[in-house]
Structures are given as structure tokens and as C-alpha cells.
Amino acid sequence: MTELNFQELAKQGNPQAIASWLQSQLQSEDITVTVNLNGDYLEVFLDASPVPAPDKSVEFVRKQLTDLQPNSIRMVKVEGREIGQVVSDWSQEFILEDPNIPQENYPEKSLTNTIVTNMETAKNMEATQPEMKELEKRLRSTFIVVGMVTGILAIAVVAFVGKLLNEPAATAGKNLEETPTVATLPDPFRDAVNSAVKAAELGRGAKTKEEWNLVANNWQEAISLMRRVPPSSPHHELAQTKVAEYQKYLIYAQESAVTLPSPTPATATGEKESTEKSTKKSNSEKEATEKSTSEKAASEKSTKKSTSEKASNEKANRKSNPEK
């Protein structure tokens, strides 16, 4: 649509055409012009940041509308607003004069009443503006607080869910009473020691392939938990040492599951070796005692036999020499 068409429509009283005409004559992209027509009462809103000056703005609108002379418009109200705001910062009204009609032809009484009404409206608007601005501030503060609370709740939920997903598998079979609460922090070092003790106990009686695989699984779990001990923990250095130690036991258990050896790892069979050694020593002492007893019995038997033979010889001699 050309500028001439805008002008013709504006003269006919079309509000959109009036707004477009004023915008084109304003020649500024910083100020946005909107128009509202109610009967013969025209409202012109000038939105900009910062708010345009009232004197120059009103004079500009007055001049353009006086030259344009749109049909059926007698009263004009110009308002200046901050971009994005609902309440105007200032407003002024004026009667659109027709240069072809003498000024004295306007009814004086009607003009006076209109001016008084406009002044009262302006006062009411000015009294309402601080309340509207205060309401806007409160709404903004409320939105900010609600946003912060929502963000904090979202972070708390994410942290809680992440903690539940990262719990060690060793606690999966525990009773509900033994399940740590949200406020209790996991202790990977303690759990690793528990797994190692369990592996050592199982290793003492492991005989089949399945039993040795179970022992290996417990050593693997103990190693994994020891590696989770954080550097801030007082057990961090000890945990690194235990990782290397448990690795040896894990290899032994894995090999035992294949070869099924008679001996068991040192940590699991130390007491058994000591018992076997003591048993061997006792058996050795018992064998020595039995051997000594056997030799003594044989000696006594030999002595009795010798004595019996001697007595028999003497009796025979007596029979062969009766005269003696």
C-alpha cells in the first residue's frame, strides 16, 4: 500500500491507517505508534525506550492530525509509554481544530466540560500509575522467588535419584532396615573389607569350580570397592595397597576354579597350614613314643626268654648229674 493510500484512509478516520501515517511521518524506528479510536475520541500511544518527551511528541501528533483532518475525530489523547509496559508514563489531550472553522464556533460549555473531564482522567491515571508499577514489581519478585525455589527442588531431585542409581551392588540383597538413609554417606572402604573377609571365609572351604568362582567374585567386588575410596578419605593409601593384594588373591581364585588345587590362598589357609603342621608334629612324636615302647617291650620279651632258657638249662643239668 502506497503512502497516498495511507493518507486517504487516514482522512476517512481508519485507525490503522492513521497509525501507519503517523509512523511514516515520524521517521524513527525507536518509537512505535499505535492508535485506538472510540467514536470521535482518538488515543495515540507512543512506545519507546526511553519514553519520548511529552512536549515534542504532542506537538508532532497535533500538527500531523491538524494537517490530515481525519473525519469525525474531535478529541485526541497522546500517551507516552515504556516499551513492554501497560501503564503510560504521561498523557496529554487536545481538541483537534479544523483550520477552516473559526475557533469561536466551538461550544464553550462543551469545551470546558471536556477539559475538566480530561484533567480528572489525567489525575486518576497519574494516581493509578504508582500502584500499577508497585504491582508489577511485586509480580516480578514473586516470579523470581518461584523460579529459584523450582530450580532448587529440581537440583535436589536429580541429586537424590543419582545417588540411588550409584549405590554399590553389595547392598542390593540387604534388608530394608539395613538400607542407609539419604543422610548416610556410603563407605566403600568398609564395604571392601567386608567383601574381602567374606571371600577369605569362602576360600577356606571351596572345593568345586562354582565355589571358587564365588570366591573370585567376592575378591573382584572387594577390589572394585577399594578403587572407589576417594583421595579425601584417610584410608586412601591403604586402599591402593589392598587393591594390589586383593588382585593376587583374585588371580589365585580364578586359577583354582580351573585347576581345583588342594592348597588355598595364604590368607584363607594360614590357620589350616598351622594346624596341619602341629598335627604332623604330634604324629611324629606319637610314632617315636610308640617305637620306643615297642623296642622296650621287645627287650623285655628277649630278657624273659633268655631267663627262661637259662632256667631250663639249669634244670637239664640237674637231671643229667643227679649224683652231684
Side-chain angles (χ1 to χ4, degrees), residues 221-238:
E221 183 178 357
I223 293 170
S224 177
L225 290 170
M226 280 297 181
R227 287 174 176 170
R228 294 183 188 178
V229 177
S232 59
S233 173
H235 306 295
H236 179 69
E237 294 184 2
L238 179 59

Side-chain angles (χ1 to χ4, degrees), residues 51-231:
V51 180
D55 296 337
K56 293 183 179 180
S57 300
V58 173
E59 185 61 29
F60 166 77
V61 174
R62 184 196 301 270
K63 182 179 183 305
Q64 294 300 324
L65 293 179
T66 300
D67 295 340
L68 188 64
Q69 284 300 311
N71 296 336
S72 69
I73 296 177
R74 297 293 301 278
M75 183 65 65
V76 179
K77 182 180 180 180
V78 184
E79 301 183 34
R81 297 184 303 191
E82 182 82 18
I83 293 178
Q85 300 297 323
V86 178
V87 181
S88 302
D89 286 11
W90 57 264
S91 64
Q92 292 187 19
E93 295 181 346
F94 61 87
I95 297 175
L96 184 60
E97 300 176 356
D98 188 349
N100 298 323
I101 300 176
Q103 179 67 24
E104 57 270 12
N105 290 342
Y106 289 102
E108 182 177 355
K109 184 176 180 181
S110 177
L111 178 60
T112 304
N113 293 335
T114 303
I115 294 175
V116 172
T117 303
N118 292 337
M119 292 178 64
E120 292 178 354
T121 304
K123 290 181 179 179
N124 293 333
M125 289 296 295
E126 291 177 356
T128 308
Q129 286 180 5
E131 296 179 359
M132 294 297 294
K133 289 183 178 180
E134 183 65 24
L135 179 60
E136 290 180 0
K137 290 181 179 179
R138 290 180 182 178
L139 289 175
R140 289 179 182 177
S141 301
T142 303
F143 290 150
I144 292 173
V145 172
V146 171
M148 292 177 63
V149 173
T150 304
I152 292 173
L153 289 176
I155 293 172
V157 171
V158 171
F160 177 74
V161 174
K163 183 177 180 181
L164 292 179
L165 295 176
N166 292 330
E167 285 184 350
T171 60
K174 293 186 178 181
N175 296 330
L176 294 176
E177 297 178 354
E178 298 177 355
T179 303
T181 60
V182 177
T184 303
L185 295 177
D187 187 355
F189 181 81
R190 181 187 60 188
D191 295 338
V193 172
N194 293 336
S195 297
V197 172
K198 184 177 180 181
E201 291 176 353
L202 293 173
R204 292 191 180 98
K207 295 180 180 180
T208 64
K209 179 179 180 181
E210 290 76 11
E211 291 174 346
W212 278 111
N213 285 332
L214 183 59
V215 173
N217 291 338
N218 279 273
W219 283 121
Q220 183 64 55
E221 183 178 357
I223 293 170
S224 177
L225 290 170
M226 280 297 181
R227 287 174 176 170
R228 294 183 188 178
V229 177

